[in-house]
Every structure is written in C-alpha cells, then in structure tokens.
Amino acid sequence: MEKYNEQMLPKRARSQRQAVGKALEFVVLALDGVKDCKACGSEVVATWLDPVEMRLIYAKNYLSDAIREGGEL
C-alpha cells in the first residue's frame, strides 16, 4: 500500500493511525523495561520474562506493519 500524506487522510484514519502509533510507543517502552529486568535479574527472572518479551516483539511488529499499511488494525 502507498504511503499517504497524513493531512490527506480522513480525520478518522488520522486519529486511528495516531492511536496505533501511541500503542507502538507503549509496546516499545514495555519491551525496553522487560529487557532491562532480564539484564538485571537472575536467570530465573530472565526465563520467566522470555515469553513476555516475545509477545511484546510480536505486538511491536504487528503495530509497525499496521502503521506502514495506513494505520488500520
């Protein structure tokens, strides 16, 4: 799909794209927090956080794709 100029999108599409972008910011911050906890904690903590990290990576990739496709989920 082509990239669109943000101002040419209908208002609903702009707000949805902005919401997806904000969700992506939160996922990236959570992923950074998990990585920090894994680095500071014990092996047990790191093992517990592995599935969380993978889910956040999947969410980050999904949201990044949604933004690239125009912001629609």
Side-chain angles (χ1 to χ4, degrees):
M1 182 175 252
E2 295 179 35
K3 290 191 175 188
Y4 293 98
N5 182 343
E6 195 72 24
Q7 294 175 346
M8 294 186 67
L9 292 172
K11 185 176 181 179
R12 178 170 158 67
R14 276 195 310 264
S15 64
Q16 187 170 8
R17 184 181 178 115
Q18 290 168 347
V20 172
K22 192 55 132 175
L24 180 59
E25 287 178 37
F26 286 125
V27 168
V28 168
L29 287 173
L31 184 57
D32 289 344
V34 167
K35 288 179 180 178
D36 289 345
C37 286
K38 283 178 68 174
C40 295
S42 67
E43 280 295 314
V44 174
V45 171
T47 302
W48 289 342
L49 291 174
D50 281 342
V52 176
E53 182 180 24
M54 288 307 302
R55 289 182 183 113
L56 288 170
I57 290 170
Y58 290 144
K60 179 182 152 223
N61 292 341
Y62 182 71
L63 291 169
S64 295
D65 289 346
I67 288 174
R68 235 185 334 272
E69 296 296 324
E72 293 187 27
L73 294 176

